[in-house]
Amino acid sequence: MSRHRDARTESALARRLEALNEARELGEGRLDDSALQQAYDVLERATSRRSLSADHTVVGFFGATGSGKSSLFNAVAATDAARVAVRRPTTSEALAMVWQPAGSAPLLDWLEVSERREGGPVPGLTDDAGGLVLLDLPDFDSVQRANRETVERLAGQVDVLVWVVDPQKYADAAIHNEFVRPFAAHAAVTLVVLNQVDRLATAEVKPVLESLSSILDRDGLGKVSVLGVSAVTGEGIDVLRRRVAAVVKARQAQSARLAADVAVAARHLADAAGAGDAAGIHQQDRKALAAGLADAVHMETVVSAVQTSYRLEATRRTGWPVTRWMSRFRQDPLRRLSLRREGGPDVNRTSLPPAGVAEQARLDSAVRDFADAAGSGAAGPWRASIRAAARSNREALPDALDQAVASADLKANKGAWWWPVFSVIQWLALLVAVGGLAWLGVLAALGYFQLPVPEVPREQGWPLPTLMVLAGVVLGIFLAVTSKLIAAAGARGRAAMARRRLREGIAGAAEALVVAPTEAEVDRCRAFHEALAAAQ
């Protein structure tokens, strides 16, 4: 069962490490560098520690000056090796007492501990407990910077932390704020020892232990029990040995320590990222963005040009032939905008006014509103990154929108089925009217030259040539008026079609240059929070 439990623990830790690394990578360039660096350091330490001896548990004794840390180390290890430390040339170096030293050298090299001693049998400490490394460290309140650096480094590397305090300085705020409290998440691998209880009266021991427990509770270590010991009299030493041996025998300290490191790093990442997830992109947001961009690129100007162009072309094709030529003096608005294709659908620029300050401001406003809607609910860093993603193609957006307008198929050269029908009838009506006029002209010429004038056919008393003229003119005018009414309706339909296609083209440009990068950043934000939750 123990092997299966160890395998499950390692597997869970591996998943949490992978999740932390994923969260760190996703947060790159978005979150505070210090939080990202802390996560990176944890991953580096975890990788290194897991590649080294899993058969050895590293237990570090940490204490302030005068706490009797080295004496306690000697008492627990049943040695006097720590007393030799005062004669070591470099007091910033730690002393390691090793049991079952086989395979421990690479681990101690990683810990940068060069002073190593092999421990002998110690009842209650090494009985079938497995590999053990006890470290006696310099005082963590030392005035020598090298000592403090050694302690700070090894506090981040050992598997188990033993905080040694004494009755005089156990409540020192500097000790708790600078060393104990930052490791509040490591309660599972923390032992707290009140040394020198022999200096207290018997009645004072319990109140001091309770006071220390209360302080630890405020530090976040309320679940850690405090053990009162005396390195001088040996009181509590056997209990401390059994607790250390139990931790070693369980073989969970390494994983528990790394899991606590991951939890701390994940919490710092969470603090840097802030709470809340992005609302994401909804269809109404896409529509609002497209509408805002359409307004900025004067889409309605193009729609109006399509409508006017259709009506003008309809007049040219179906108007009364006598007057339709006048429409040729009116310039086609689509041609003025370079949107009437003469040689094929390869037009990629328009003659619309370039985006000025006002147009760029409307573009920026539309993009900003879209980004704010997508990032709604996210904390500051991710809202900022989502807005930056939405604006990432700001320089290319005006040109892309202009190309979208230029490439939209507005059916500018496509006529209506009724145009040739009306045109043929118009010309036939004109021919009838001209024929009637010619007939009347011949009759008038014959009368003018006093030649015999033939009898003119009549219809309901009306001379046929006169009826031809009247019929041709009336029919031509009627068709011209009717064609204008039909053209107006057709122009509205053509304008609606153009508006729809222009919106599709603008929406496509917006999708590629604004929506896609924004959506990718929103997905990144969500993936970050999912990875962070898995790491925590």
Side-chain angles (χ1 to χ4, degrees):
M1 287 296 292
S2 178
R3 291 182 179 179
H4 292 305
R5 183 183 64 186
D6 292 346
R8 288 196 300 270
T9 301
E10 283 298 307
S11 178
L13 176 61
R15 288 194 297 270
R16 292 183 63 186
L17 288 168
E18 290 174 2
L20 179 63
N21 187 51
E22 182 182 359
R24 181 192 64 81
E25 291 177 345
L26 291 170
E28 288 284 354
R30 278 84 176 165
L31 305 182
D32 182 67
D33 288 341
S34 62
L36 294 171
Q37 184 61 45
Q38 182 179 13
Y40 180 80
D41 292 342
V42 167
L43 292 166
E44 284 286 290
R45 285 201 304 271
T47 301
S48 298
R49 182 63 184 94
R50 297 177 78 206
S51 67
L52 298 170
S53 175
D55 296 326
H56 288 83
T57 301
V58 182
V59 180
F61 281 68
F62 299 84
T65 304
S67 64
K69 167 179 53 60
S70 295
S71 297
L72 180 62
F73 176 89
N74 284 337
V76 172
T79 182
D80 61 354
R83 287 202 294 270
V84 182
V86 297
R87 296 193 296 272
R88 279 179 285 161
T90 307
T91 57
S92 61
E93 292 183 0
L95 168 66
M97 186 66 68
V98 185
W99 285 267
Q100 297 185 12
S104 65
L107 174 60
L108 292 169
D109 290 341
W110 175 67
L111 293 170
E112 298 180 25
V113 177
S114 57
E115 192 78 18
R116 309 169 187 181
R117 305 289 176 83
E118 183 176 349
V122 180
L125 178 66
T126 59
D127 300 339
D128 301 322
L132 171 64
V133 178
L134 292 185
L135 294 182
D136 179 39
L137 304 171
D139 299 330
F140 54 57
D141 59 348
S142 173
V143 295
Q144 296 186 34
R145 183 60 190 168
N147 289 7
R148 290 178 63 92
E149 289 176 351
T150 298
V151 172
E152 291 171 356
R153 175 177 59 80
L154 287 171
Q157 292 177 292
V158 299
D159 300 325
V160 180
L161 302 111
V162 178
W163 298 111
V164 182
V165 296
D166 62 89
Q168 287 72 39
K169 295 195 296 184
Y170 74 88
D172 190 334
I175 295 175
H176 290 271
N177 293 337
E178 295 180 27
F179 292 95
V180 179
R181 189 170 299 163
F183 291 92
H186 297 71
V189 290
T190 298
L191 298 174
V192 179
V193 179
L194 177 66
N195 193 19
Q196 302 175 0
V197 293
D198 58 292
R199 296 185 178 183
L200 297 172
T202 303
E204 295 177 331
V205 174
K206 184 177 179 181
V208 172
L209 289 174
E210 290 177 347
S211 174
L212 177 55
S213 296
S214 177
I215 296 173
L216 292 172
D217 186 50
R218 291 196 296 271
D219 289 339
L221 291 167
K223 294 182 179 181
V224 176
S225 60
V226 181
L227 180 63
V229 303
S230 171
V232 175
T233 66
E235 180 181 351
I237 298 299
D238 289 339
V239 177
L240 179 56
R241 286 172 178 169
R242 287 197 297 270
R243 290 194 179 182
V244 172
V247 171
V248 175
K249 189 173 182 179
R251 303 172 66 89
Q252 296 293 310
Q254 180 196 135
S255 296
R257 168 59 202 258
L258 294 178
D261 288 344
V262 170
V264 171
R267 186 177 70 246
H268 287 165
L269 279 181
D271 292 341
D277 206 353
I281 300 171
H282 303 284
Q283 192 59 33
Q284 61 266 28
D285 300 328
R286 283 184 165 90
K287 291 181 179 179
L289 172 65
L293 297 182
D295 179 59
V297 297
H298 307 288
M299 185 190 75
E300 288 302 321
T301 299
V302 178
V303 172
S304 177
V306 170
Q307 186 170 358
T308 301
S309 176
Y310 182 92
R311 296 179 65 175
L312 180 60
E313 192 65 21
T315 299
R316 290 175 179 174
R317 299 287 188 88
T318 65
W320 195 26
V322 177
T323 59
R324 71 169 64 171
W325 59 273
M326 298 174 62
S327 64
R328 300 188 179 279
F329 292 102
R330 294 180 58 189
Q331 185 177 6
D332 189 330
L334 285 181
R335 196 180 302 280
R336 187 174 63 250
L337 296 176
S338 301
L339 292 174
R340 180 174 288 282
R341 298 176 175 83
E342 300 293 349
D346 56 350
V347 178
N348 56 13
R349 298 292 303 173
T350 73
S351 296
L352 286 166
V357 176
E359 290 78 13
Q360 190 63 57
R362 285 199 290 271
L363 285 174
D364 291 341
S365 178
V367 172
R368 183 173 59 252
D369 291 344
F370 173 78
D372 289 345
S376 176
W382 284 107
R383 281 205 311 272
S385 70
I386 290 171
R387 179 178 287 188
R391 291 168 52 85
S392 59
N393 295 307
R394 180 177 183 269
E395 300 300 324
L397 186 58
D399 188 61
L401 292 173
D402 188 78
Q403 291 184 31
V405 172
S407 59
D409 186 4
L410 305 179
K411 304 296 183 183
N413 292 329
K414 183 178 180 180
W417 64 268
W418 58 273
W419 288 1
V421 176
F422 270 56
S423 181
V424 169
I425 298 175
Q426 282 281 32
W427 283 107
L428 290 176
L430 180 61
L431 287 176
V432 170
V434 170
L437 285 174
W439 194 345
L440 290 175
V442 170
L443 293 176
L446 291 174
Y448 180 79
F449 289 107
Q450 299 296 312
L451 294 174
V453 179
E455 186 68 24
V456 177
R458 294 176 177 272
E459 185 66 33
Q460 298 293 327
W462 287 83
L464 185 58
T466 303
L467 289 175
M468 291 172 62
V469 173
L470 291 174
V473 172
V474 170
L475 180 59
I477 294 175
F478 172 78
L479 289 175
V481 172
T482 303
S483 69
K484 284 186 176 295
L485 297 176
I486 299 175
R492 288 193 294 272
R494 185 65 62 86
M497 178 273 299
R499 182 180 290 107
R500 183 176 65 256
R501 295 192 175 183
L502 286 170
R503 282 178 176 169
E504 291 174 354
I506 291 171
E511 188 74 26
L513 297 182
V514 180
V515 177
T518 304
E519 195 166 36
E521 193 65 19
V522 169
D523 290 342
R524 187 184 186 109
C525 174
R526 289 174 175 169
F528 169 82
H529 285 294
E530 290 173 1
L532 202 58
Q536 289 176 314

